[in-house]
Amino acid sequence: MQDLVRKQLAQSIETMTKVLNDEAIHTAVVEAGHLTAAAMKAGKKLMVCGNGGSAADSQHLVAEFVSRLTVDRPALRAVALTTDSSILTAIGNDYSYDNVFERQVEALGLEGDVLLAISTSGNSKNCVKALKLAKKLGILTIAYTGNKGGAMAELADINVIIPSDVTMNIQESHLALEHIYCMVVERYYFGADFGKKPQELAE
């Protein structure tokens, strides 16, 4: 069992090392943060969606924006499309589960908003449909994926593609890069000196 622990940690580190050395990923995260901060400064919002572990990531990331990541500051406008069980079950029952995010983008999305879709495979049908509608509505689209980007790579304005086809390793890298994305937004929104403020440990 100790060999299993060691093997899986080594696999995680290998994937993260690839991410560490991938300049295209770094550039995409910075660009996504810059454009998201600009949208928020203009009174627009960030919407985030995903399934399973990526749904948990959606909610986690939005909590960092609305509450805080590491430094006290005003709340930033963000909403997870994965949290309202009545909306999700109504759309799933009345239409299809493939429509659960698309329908919310139709209801809530405004031109100039930002949609971040998270999918380890890059092929989640409900994320694909949400991205397609968002582009039609003039909403900036960002995709966090693995698996060479899947179908979502062709739809997103900005792609953060983890060089792996192992779900848990993709998710581990996603979480790290989601936190960094939030940090980038904060610095573009509040100024470069924001990063010099003392950090606080969450409870």
mmCIF file of all heavy atoms in Angstrom, residues 12 15-16 19 144 162 168-178:
data_model
loop_
_atom_site.group_PDB
_atom_site.id
_atom_site.type_symbol
_atom_site.label_atom_id
_atom_site.label_comp_id
_atom_site.label_asym_id
_atom_site.label_seq_id
_atom_site.Cartn_x
_atom_site.Cartn_y
_atom_site.Cartn_z
ATOM 1 N N SER A 12 1.204 12.360 -9.733
ATOM 2 C CA SER A 12 0.685 13.724 -9.553
ATOM 3 C C SER A 12 1.782 14.752 -9.788
ATOM 4 O O SER A 12 1.578 15.759 -10.478
ATOM 5 C CB SER A 12 0.116 13.888 -8.144
ATOM 6 O OG SER A 12 -0.989 13.040 -7.935
ATOM 7 N N THR A 15 2.670 15.177 -13.481
ATOM 8 C CA THR A 15 1.712 16.007 -14.223
ATOM 9 C C THR A 15 1.896 17.476 -13.872
ATOM 10 O O THR A 15 1.934 18.347 -14.756
ATOM 11 C CB THR A 15 0.265 15.573 -13.921
ATOM 12 O OG1 THR A 15 0.097 14.208 -14.269
ATOM 13 C CG2 THR A 15 -0.728 16.420 -14.709
ATOM 14 N N MET A 16 2.033 17.774 -12.584
ATOM 15 C CA MET A 16 2.216 19.158 -12.163
ATOM 16 C C MET A 16 3.522 19.737 -12.704
ATOM 17 O O MET A 16 3.597 20.931 -13.028
ATOM 18 C CB MET A 16 2.183 19.243 -10.640
ATOM 19 C CG MET A 16 0.798 19.034 -10.039
ATOM 20 S SD MET A 16 -0.361 20.382 -10.439
ATOM 21 C CE MET A 16 0.218 21.636 -9.309
ATOM 22 N N VAL A 19 2.886 20.850 -16.138
ATOM 23 C CA VAL A 19 2.147 22.121 -16.092
ATOM 24 C C VAL A 19 3.103 23.267 -15.753
ATOM 25 O O VAL A 19 3.046 24.348 -16.350
ATOM 26 C CB VAL A 19 0.998 22.035 -15.070
ATOM 27 C CG1 VAL A 19 0.362 23.399 -14.850
ATOM 28 C CG2 VAL A 19 -0.053 21.026 -15.536
ATOM 29 N N TYR A 144 -11.226 24.945 -18.988
ATOM 30 C CA TYR A 144 -10.201 24.195 -18.270
ATOM 31 C C TYR A 144 -10.468 22.722 -18.578
ATOM 32 O O TYR A 144 -11.517 22.186 -18.204
ATOM 33 C CB TYR A 144 -10.318 24.426 -16.756
ATOM 34 C CG TYR A 144 -9.498 25.567 -16.199
ATOM 35 C CD1 TYR A 144 -9.478 26.816 -16.805
ATOM 36 C CD2 TYR A 144 -8.756 25.392 -15.037
ATOM 37 C CE1 TYR A 144 -8.743 27.857 -16.265
ATOM 38 C CE2 TYR A 144 -8.014 26.428 -14.487
ATOM 39 C CZ TYR A 144 -8.012 27.661 -15.107
ATOM 40 O OH TYR A 144 -7.272 28.689 -14.571
ATOM 41 N N ILE A 162 -4.637 20.642 -19.550
ATOM 42 C CA ILE A 162 -3.659 19.892 -18.769
ATOM 43 C C ILE A 162 -3.130 18.734 -19.618
ATOM 44 O O ILE A 162 -3.918 17.975 -20.186
ATOM 45 C CB ILE A 162 -4.288 19.348 -17.467
ATOM 46 C CG1 ILE A 162 -4.936 20.483 -16.670
ATOM 47 C CG2 ILE A 162 -3.232 18.621 -16.628
ATOM 48 C CD1 ILE A 162 -4.025 21.631 -16.335
ATOM 49 N N MET A 168 -7.925 12.203 -12.213
ATOM 50 C CA MET A 168 -7.562 12.806 -10.931
ATOM 51 C C MET A 168 -6.363 13.735 -11.059
ATOM 52 O O MET A 168 -6.290 14.773 -10.382
ATOM 53 C CB MET A 168 -7.306 11.744 -9.860
ATOM 54 C CG MET A 168 -6.177 10.813 -10.104
ATOM 55 S SD MET A 168 -6.106 9.616 -8.744
ATOM 56 C CE MET A 168 -4.731 8.610 -9.289
ATOM 57 N N ASN A 169 -5.421 13.417 -11.955
ATOM 58 C CA ASN A 169 -4.268 14.293 -12.141
ATOM 59 C C ASN A 169 -4.659 15.588 -12.838
ATOM 60 O O ASN A 169 -4.136 16.663 -12.525
ATOM 61 C CB ASN A 169 -3.171 13.580 -12.921
ATOM 62 C CG ASN A 169 -2.613 12.370 -12.191
ATOM 63 O OD1 ASN A 169 -2.336 11.346 -12.804
ATOM 64 N ND2 ASN A 169 -2.446 12.454 -10.876
ATOM 65 N N ILE A 170 -5.595 15.498 -13.766
ATOM 66 C CA ILE A 170 -6.123 16.707 -14.405
ATOM 67 C C ILE A 170 -6.813 17.582 -13.362
ATOM 68 O O ILE A 170 -6.591 18.801 -13.304
ATOM 69 C CB ILE A 170 -7.110 16.339 -15.530
ATOM 70 C CG1 ILE A 170 -6.396 15.576 -16.644
ATOM 71 C CG2 ILE A 170 -7.769 17.597 -16.100
ATOM 72 C CD1 ILE A 170 -7.335 14.923 -17.637
ATOM 73 N N GLN A 171 -7.628 16.976 -12.508
ATOM 74 C CA GLN A 171 -8.354 17.732 -11.492
ATOM 75 C C GLN A 171 -7.412 18.401 -10.499
ATOM 76 O O GLN A 171 -7.652 19.534 -10.059
ATOM 77 C CB GLN A 171 -9.345 16.816 -10.770
ATOM 78 C CG GLN A 171 -10.513 16.399 -11.641
ATOM 79 C CD GLN A 171 -11.407 15.365 -10.975
ATOM 80 O OE1 GLN A 171 -10.964 14.603 -10.120
ATOM 81 N NE2 GLN A 171 -12.672 15.341 -11.369
ATOM 82 N N GLU A 172 -6.341 17.694 -10.121
ATOM 83 C CA GLU A 172 -5.363 18.278 -9.193
ATOM 84 C C GLU A 172 -4.724 19.527 -9.793
ATOM 85 O O GLU A 172 -4.568 20.548 -9.103
ATOM 86 C CB GLU A 172 -4.280 17.241 -8.864
ATOM 87 C CG GLU A 172 -4.769 16.087 -8.010
ATOM 88 C CD GLU A 172 -3.916 14.837 -8.105
ATOM 89 O OE1 GLU A 172 -2.958 14.817 -8.922
ATOM 90 O OE2 GLU A 172 -4.204 13.874 -7.373
ATOM 91 N N SER A 173 -4.386 19.449 -11.062
ATOM 92 C CA SER A 173 -3.793 20.605 -11.735
ATOM 93 C C SER A 173 -4.821 21.710 -11.930
ATOM 94 O O SER A 173 -4.500 22.898 -11.794
ATOM 95 C CB SER A 173 -3.202 20.181 -13.075
ATOM 96 O OG SER A 173 -2.127 19.288 -12.899
ATOM 97 N N HIS A 174 -6.045 21.339 -12.255
ATOM 98 C CA HIS A 174 -7.102 22.336 -12.386
ATOM 99 C C HIS A 174 -7.238 23.155 -11.112
ATOM 100 O O HIS A 174 -7.322 24.388 -11.158
ATOM 101 C CB HIS A 174 -8.445 21.662 -12.703
ATOM 102 C CG HIS A 174 -8.643 21.344 -14.148
ATOM 103 N ND1 HIS A 174 -9.739 20.650 -14.608
ATOM 104 C CD2 HIS A 174 -7.900 21.621 -15.249
ATOM 105 C CE1 HIS A 174 -9.661 20.526 -15.927
ATOM 106 N NE2 HIS A 174 -8.552 21.095 -16.331
ATOM 107 N N LEU A 175 -7.295 22.487 -9.971
ATOM 108 C CA LEU A 175 -7.500 23.201 -8.712
ATOM 109 C C LEU A 175 -6.384 24.213 -8.466
ATOM 110 O O LEU A 175 -6.640 25.370 -8.090
ATOM 111 C CB LEU A 175 -7.605 22.219 -7.544
ATOM 112 C CG LEU A 175 -7.847 22.854 -6.164
ATOM 113 C CD1 LEU A 175 -9.099 23.723 -6.175
ATOM 114 C CD2 LEU A 175 -7.954 21.773 -5.099
ATOM 115 N N ALA A 176 -5.147 23.793 -8.681
ATOM 116 C CA ALA A 176 -4.026 24.718 -8.492
ATOM 117 C C ALA A 176 -4.152 25.921 -9.430
ATOM 118 O O ALA A 176 -3.971 27.079 -9.012
ATOM 119 C CB ALA A 176 -2.708 23.994 -8.735
ATOM 120 N N LEU A 177 -4.490 25.668 -10.677
ATOM 121 C CA LEU A 177 -4.578 26.746 -11.660
ATOM 122 C C LEU A 177 -5.831 27.603 -11.479
ATOM 123 O O LEU A 177 -5.850 28.772 -11.897
ATOM 124 C CB LEU A 177 -4.528 26.166 -13.071
ATOM 125 C CG LEU A 177 -3.175 25.549 -13.456
ATOM 126 C CD1 LEU A 177 -3.289 24.791 -14.769
ATOM 127 C CD2 LEU A 177 -2.097 26.612 -13.545
ATOM 128 N N GLU A 178 -6.865 27.055 -10.877
ATOM 129 C CA GLU A 178 -8.050 27.854 -10.539
ATOM 130 C C GLU A 178 -7.711 28.853 -9.439
ATOM 131 O O GLU A 178 -8.126 30.025 -9.503
ATOM 132 C CB GLU A 178 -9.195 26.931 -10.122
ATOM 133 C CG GLU A 178 -9.828 26.209 -11.297
ATOM 134 C CD GLU A 178 -10.459 24.878 -10.938
ATOM 135 O OE1 GLU A 178 -10.573 24.545 -9.739
ATOM 136 O OE2 GLU A 178 -10.840 24.150 -11.881
#
